[in-house]
Amino acid sequence: MEYNRMIAYIYSYNDGMKSRNTGFAKLEVRQNILKLQINMKGAYSDGSESWKVNLFYRENGKINGICLGEIRIRNGMGEYRYTGNAADIEGSKISFDSVKGLYIICDGNIHKMYASEWDDLGFMPDSIAGVGERSPRSSTIVEFAVPESIKQPDKPSLFAEPEIQRPEPAQPDFAATLESAVEGSRGEEPEKPEIVLEAAAVNEDVPDGENAEANMPSVGAEFFDSMIDGREKMFLFADDDLYDVVEINTDDLNGFPEANIGLANNSFVNHGYYNFRHLILGRIRNGSGGCGYFIGVPGVYTRRDRSTASMFGFNYFKFSMRSDVRLGQFGYWYKELQC
């Protein structure tokens, strides 16, 4: 069986209707060994339920599940790992080549479940046949406490969900308009950097002393918290250094705290928004173990765009698992915001 690697988003299904994103699955097949890792965030569970993890294949219009094991979901979070034979999954005589998705179900209840499908035929819970027919083999159940950092894949797979199909934008070439500022950059092809730089801690100067106001949240922090907490979170990255990510637009920049107000007139920011029709805002873990806030501009990694992004204050780039943008090397240039 050929080498295969993918990342798929997992969505909640309520009474058969696809709802919000609640995590992702990483799958890899190498030398007939199947490895699966599932990470859940924001999933519903009362803590006492056992959810069965199933890969599925289609046959005669039905969805047939192959139970792999169980995942515990507590406080909305869960993690599951599986390793098995990709040519004969759990003795079903079904190979991974025939697998079209996965679903997570509790006590056969199809009214509240989680699923991901990757053949663009849709997932209909009432089409599931033989739920619970296969007994899960003994497997490790991981009770999720703190999300593990997941190593960035060498080349992220972008997995498209059928209901969102944005027109494929032309590859950004913003640096071509600033050639006078970027030397020796004309005509270079996109490349994968050997090391993706991560944001370092940005520590604001705080006067020493016992003034209690020094520990109070800043006006900027309160503003960013209200914006982030008031919007739907998105899972865009394979690790959790950048988290609680939401989409914003250029109009939102006009309300940013004064220290960041220049972003509204930042040509690099506006060009990224023009090409992809969105920006992102979220929280970032910094080197001191605390968290700050960041803004991200969508784009495609190239050497010349790296130089251009740096000129406008965006020194870091992170590849994205975003499923509705069909571009290699796609991700976000980002910088930490000032509160």
Side-chain angles (χ1 to χ4, degrees):
M1 186 174 295
E2 295 183 358
Y3 173 75
N4 193 350
R5 186 178 188 182
M6 67 171 66
I7 296 175
Y9 287 103
I10 299 173
Y11 291 85
S12 62
Y13 283 77
N14 300 314
D15 291 324
M17 299 297 294
K18 186 176 182 179
S19 185
R20 61 191 182 89
N21 178 270
T22 52
F24 63 90
K26 296 175 65 176
L27 302 103
E28 179 182 281
V29 175
R30 189 194 300 265
Q31 297 179 345
N32 280 337
I33 300 300
L34 167 64
K35 292 184 178 181
L36 166 67
Q37 178 176 329
I38 293 175
N39 286 79
M40 304 285 287
K41 281 187 177 181
Y44 166 80
S45 176
D46 66 7
S48 61
E49 301 165 324
S50 295
W51 295 75
K52 290 182 172 59
V53 177
N54 298 263
L55 295 178
F56 73 79
Y57 62 98
R58 302 184 192 271
E59 189 174 66
N60 299 325
K62 291 291 186 179
I63 292 174
N64 296 274
I66 305 172
C67 188
L68 306 182
E70 296 180 350
I71 181 173
R72 295 281 187 181
I73 302 174
R74 292 188 175 179
N75 298 321
M77 294 181 167
E79 185 179 89
Y80 174 80
R81 287 184 175 87
Y82 170 86
T83 301
N85 185 349
D88 182 12
I89 303 172
E90 291 299 293
S92 64
K93 298 183 180 180
I94 300 297
S95 73
F96 184 74
D97 291 336
S98 299
V99 172
K100 305 305 180 184
L102 65 86
Y103 64 84
I104 301 172
I105 192 169
C106 179
D107 295 330
N109 181 10
I110 65 172
H111 300 290
K112 178 66 179 178
M113 58 188 306
Y114 305 95
S116 176
E117 54 87 23
W118 46 81
D119 60 359
D120 293 344
L121 295 181
F123 179 80
M124 301 297 293
D126 57 5
S127 296
I128 297 175
V131 173
E133 284 183 358
R134 300 183 186 277
S135 299
R137 73 174 185 176
S138 177
S139 60
T140 301
I141 299 173
V142 181
E143 295 185 2
F144 191 92
V146 179
E148 288 187 70
S149 294
I150 306 169
K151 184 179 179 182
Q152 174 106 359
D154 295 334
K155 188 171 183 180
S157 299
L158 297 175
F159 192 84
E161 290 291 340
E163 86 289 1
I164 302 176
Q165 290 295 332
R166 300 186 183 184
E168 180 172 327
Q171 178 166 318
D173 193 17
F174 182 59
T177 65
L178 298 172
E179 290 181 3
S180 60
V182 182
E183 297 181 0
S185 62
R186 190 185 300 274
E188 293 184 349
E189 294 297 323
E191 68 154 14
K192 175 96 173 171
E194 292 183 1
I195 299 177
V196 177
L197 296 176
E198 299 296 339
V202 176
N203 296 321
E204 299 293 332
D205 293 331
V206 179
D208 294 331
E210 298 181 354
N211 187 352
E213 293 183 0
N215 295 320
M216 295 291 290
S218 66
V219 174
E222 292 179 350
F223 173 84
F224 294 134
D225 284 340
S226 64
M227 181 172 288
I228 292 171
D229 295 337
R231 306 189 185 196
E232 182 177 357
K233 309 298 189 301
M234 307 178 68
F235 293 90
L236 301 182
F237 307 107
D239 58 30
D240 59 355
D241 291 333
L242 305 181
Y243 64 105
D244 287 348
V245 181
V246 299
E247 277 194 0
I248 62 172
N249 57 47
T250 50
D251 291 338
D252 293 320
L253 302 178
N254 295 321
F256 271 30
E258 185 175 356
N260 307 278
I261 198 66
L263 290 168
N265 298 316
N266 187 305
S267 297
F268 183 76
V269 172
N270 287 309
H271 182 79
Y273 181 80
Y274 175 82
N275 277 281
F276 293 94
R277 310 311 300 173
H278 74 278
L279 305 170
I280 60 173
L281 173 72
R283 297 183 172 96
I284 180 173
R285 302 187 193 282
N286 56 39
S288 64
C291 70
Y293 307 89
F294 78 93
I295 183 172
V297 178
V300 176
Y301 186 91
T302 66
R303 280 184 176 177
R304 59 183 174 183
D305 274 2
R306 178 182 63 187
S307 300
T308 306
S310 181
M311 289 169 51
F312 286 91
F314 289 80
N315 296 317
Y316 307 103
F317 184 88
K318 185 180 285 291
F319 291 104
S320 175
M321 305 180 301
R322 189 166 190 137
S323 64
D324 55 344
V325 179
R326 297 169 178 256
L327 289 175
Q329 308 282 66
F330 176 77
Y332 292 87
W333 303 96
Y334 66 96
K335 63 176 291 185
E336 190 162 354
L337 294 165
Q338 300 182 49
C339 296

